[in-house]
Amino acid sequence: MDIAIIGSGYVGLVAAAAFAEIGHNVICVDNDVTKVDALNRGETLIHERFLPELLARHRGDRLRFTSCVDDAVRSSSVIFIAVGTPSAESGDADLSLVENVACSIAQTINSHKIIVEKSTVPVCTSQWIRRVMLQNGAPREMFDVVCNPEFLREGTAVTDFLYPHRIVIGADCASAAETLRKVYTPLLDGSYAKLTKAIPQPDNAVVPTRLIVTSAESAEVIKHASNAFLAMKISFINAVANVCEAVGADVEEVCKGMGSDARIGSEFLKPGIGYGGSCFPKDLTAFRSVSYDSGYDFRLLDEVCRINEEQRFRFLRKVRQALWNLKGKRLAVLGLAYKGGTDDIRESPAIAMVKLLLKEKCEIVAYDPAATERAKEIFRDGEVQFSHDLYDTATDADALLILTDWEEFAGMDLTRLGKAMKNQIVIDGRNLYRPETMIESGFTYYSIGRRERVPRKVVRRLNTAA
Ligand SMILES: NC(=O)c1ccc[n+]([C@@H]2O[C@H](COP(=O)([O-])OP(=O)(O)OC[C@H]3O[C@@H](n4cnc5c(N)ncnc54)[C@H](O)[C@@H]3O)[C@@H](O)[C@H]2O)c1
């Protein structure tokens, strides 16, 4: 099929590459000409596993990039809208970019098109898109609007897209739903997974995947409610972690016990410094807002946000507990991205932590395997020192803070790390280590929802000094 994707960000670019991979002709559009030029030059733009391989396979062949929406609209029968839907000041989703795209499509439409909401949008957006299309002169019989929410996670976006746990199609017209089903056929009949050149499937892949066809309104609610639920799961376990700290329980043991119940599940039962990223915070407030406007006061969601915010200040208290005065202390910060596997720093709790620590006048040396360049854009020159090597980051540090769950941080050479640091103190905001491993390696170790652990020789030294 001839497909257009409007918006070449984390979702649009991955969707475009993946649709080309399953056999479609794809035109990917962005109104940021520098992005389009970079993509045409062969750059990848975002850090995402398997994306470079897919772009190399299909760029210039089944996959093209342009800044001209009109060309893309004219030559495609299915048009995915994948532009940003950020938070407005009120907490509502700002849908002005979606509206702009709908206007452009309406003004160019030359044959029947299926317009697909891929962006995360509040319930009833498909009705608004339809209205905007009509107001801008598109004949009613020339288009259908379908909601096809995206559930990919940054860091595993390509495999999430090619091996989704479900595909949701919200359509009020059977023929439009059928066209969308055809778009996804290689994933729905399992034929893509059987190809020798297929991107390898993850362990928990559901192949072939399941198709769920709903009304447009239900599909829109499915996406918002899913993100709100996942955010709630994270805040829930963070609140449990806080109880564990108070009573001397170990939250990781609690997670194991809770998560092995199939009704609960272990995914997203990960205590830490809170959720972030470009989706959960804004989708939660948008869902809160649309629920309120429709007559339901969804106050549970306020509490989810509150716990998430509080988690950062609790972590700051831990840093104080470990170091007493923070002014002038040299802190090695591991992680700037909002989660491991991505270079995305939007609403990153790691960045929020660094900002709090800068206010306390700490000296920050930071390392992230992928997000450093993006992070440099948000701090003033010299405000933070950026390092290109994990162990250099730790040199002469008063403490090391783990703020992002990168795999690289979970497999450090602890002897080398300890030798580089001034004080062997690790404050782990992602629970990447077993406390026993850390004290055996000579570190005083603070983590989330578990008591502070101090190596015996340090206790003896402190007692002697006292
Ligand atoms: N990032 C994720 O993990 C994720 C996952 C699922 C759903 N979503 C949703 O998908 C949508 C896109 O998210 P994203 O992270 O890819 O955003 P993004 O900001 O990375 O990308 C959006 C792109 O759209 C482009 N754009 C804006 N207006 C345009 C226009 N008129 N014409 C052409 N291009 C235009 C921007 O230049 C940008 O490159 C959002 O609604 C988001 O909530 C995101």
Side-chain angles (χ1 to χ4, degrees):
M1 271 182 214
D2 293 316
I3 290 179
I5 311 273
I6 304 185
S8 316
Y10 284 85
V11 167
L13 187 56
V14 169
F19 280 139
E21 172 75 356
I22 62 172
H24 301 297
N25 296 315
V26 184
I27 302 192
C28 194
V29 187
D30 208 285
N31 61 356
D32 182 338
V33 179
T34 52
K35 275 192 184 179
V36 175
D37 289 346
L39 287 165
N40 279 326
R41 274 198 309 273
E43 291 176 30
T44 308
L45 287 187
I46 56 172
H47 179 92
E48 200 56 64
R49 196 163 179 228
F50 298 121
L51 187 59
E53 286 91 323
L54 292 191
L55 292 177
R57 275 183 204 176
H58 305 297
R59 192 180 343 230
D61 181 16
R62 286 209 291 262
L63 176 58
R64 291 184 293 131
F65 297 101
T66 179
S67 53
C68 180
V69 181
D70 295 359
D71 282 354
V73 169
R74 280 197 208 98
S75 56
S76 310
S77 54
V78 183
I79 303 166
F80 286 81
I81 303 178
V83 296
T85 49
S87 268
E89 235 166 72
S90 58
D92 293 341
D94 174 351
L95 298 175
S96 52
L97 298 178
V98 174
E99 183 176 354
N100 289 346
V101 173
C103 291
S104 305
I105 299 172
Q107 285 154 11
T108 315
I109 201 160
N110 59 336
S111 60
H112 187 271
K113 312 286 175 194
I114 295 182
I115 300 162
V116 190
E117 293 170 358
K118 198 54 149 166
S119 299
T120 302
V121 290
V123 64
C124 297
T125 300
S126 69
Q127 292 172 22
W128 274 106
I129 293 179
R130 200 169 289 126
R131 198 183 293 185
V132 168
M133 292 285 298
L134 294 171
Q135 280 166 351
N136 283 275
R140 180 67 204 90
E141 67 287 358
M142 292 275 271
F143 69 92
D144 288 296
V145 182
V146 173
C147 176
N148 170 221
E150 183 49 57
F151 300 99
L152 65 76
R153 296 159 299 175
E154 288 177 25
T156 50
V158 169
T159 47
D160 285 348
F161 198 96
L162 290 169
Y163 301 102
H165 285 188
R166 79 293 206 194
I167 292 167
V168 173
I169 296 174
D172 301 324
C173 151
S175 63
E178 178 55 20
T179 305
L180 257 266
R181 194 192 59 73
K182 284 189 187 143
V183 168
Y184 285 106
T185 296
L187 309 183
L188 291 166
D189 65 10
S191 58
Y192 173 71
K194 289 191 192 125
L195 297 177
T196 45
K197 64 166 185 70
I199 295 295
Q201 48 180 288
D203 291 342
N204 62 351
V206 179
V207 178
T209 190
R210 183 182 319 154
L211 176 68
I212 299 172
V213 179
T214 67
S215 68
E217 287 73 22
S218 298
E220 289 161 341
V221 174
I222 286 170
K223 176 61 191 174
H224 260 171
S226 299
N227 274 3
F229 189 84
L230 292 171
M232 180 184 73
K233 219 172 159 188
I234 294 172
S235 278
F236 185 87
I237 203 61
N238 279 335
V240 171
N242 298 337
V243 175
C244 287
E245 279 178 19
V247 300
D250 178 333
V251 75
E252 292 299 329
E253 291 176 353
V254 173
C255 286
K256 200 170 166 193
M258 285 176 67
S260 54
D261 183 329
R263 293 170 304 173
I264 298 172
S266 56
E267 289 220 39
F268 281 76
L269 226 45
K270 300 259 184 294
I273 56 171
Y275 60 78
S278 68
C279 292
F280 285 3
K282 79 164 172 67
D283 292 347
L284 207 74
T285 48
F287 193 38
R288 169 81 174 94
S289 193
V290 79
S291 308
Y292 189 80
D293 290 346
S294 60
Y296 181 70
D297 195 3
F298 207 153
R299 275 182 283 177
L300 171 66
L301 301 183
D302 293 340
E303 193 55 15
V304 172
C305 291
R306 193 197 60 75
I307 294 169
N308 197 53
E309 294 287 311
E310 189 189 21
Q311 207 59 11
R312 293 169 195 177
F313 292 96
R314 290 185 67 93
F315 190 76
L316 183 65
R317 280 213 293 278
K318 262 186 218 295
V319 183
R320 275 209 195 94
Q321 191 190 339
L323 297 175
W324 190 25
N325 292 306
L326 295 185
K327 191 173 173 185
K329 295 279 160 70
R330 183 178 171 89
L331 302 182
V333 163
L334 296 189
L336 295 163
Y338 84 93
K339 62 186 261 197
T342 179
D343 57 349
D344 198 346
I345 55 164
R346 292 178 286 183
E347 300 288 326
S348 168
I351 299 280
M353 276 315 310
V354 170
K355 286 183 176 168
L356 286 177
L357 293 164
L358 286 173
K359 269 196 194 150
E360 301 285 334
K361 307 225 175 323
C362 296
E363 187 190 329
I364 305 287
V365 191
Y367 168 73
D368 189 285
T372 303
E373 290 312 310
R374 291 193 195 273
K376 278 182 184 168
E377 288 167 20
I378 58 166
F379 293 106
R380 286 196 311 274
D381 258 1
E383 206 178 10
V384 170
Q385 294 171 51
F386 294 99
S387 163
H388 296 289
D389 177 83
L390 192 158
Y391 301 96
D392 284 351
T393 313
T395 305
D396 291 333
D398 288 292
L400 177 122
L401 275 51
I402 302 176
L403 301 184
T404 306
D405 56 348
W406 279 99
E407 258 175 52
E408 184 182 345
F409 302 160
M412 292 188 284
D413 175 341
L414 297 176
T415 311
R416 190 170 161 203
L417 187 73
K419 279 190 186 142
M421 293 174 71
K422 181 168 145 201
N423 294 323
Q424 283 71 46
I425 298 175
V426 169
I427 311 166
D428 183 354
R430 299 294 182 178
N431 285 6
L432 295 189
Y433 285 90
R434 289 175 53 244
E436 293 69 28
T437 309
M438 295 309 273
I439 51 168
E440 277 161 23
S441 302
F443 289 94
T444 298
Y445 182 64
Y446 297 80
S447 57
I448 310 288
R450 300 181 291 191
R451 68 187 168 84
E452 163 201 352
R453 300 295 295 272
V454 186
R456 226 178 253 146
K457 67 173 186 198
V458 176
V459 175
R460 271 202 302 271
R461 203 167 59 222
L462 292 175
N463 286 342
T464 317

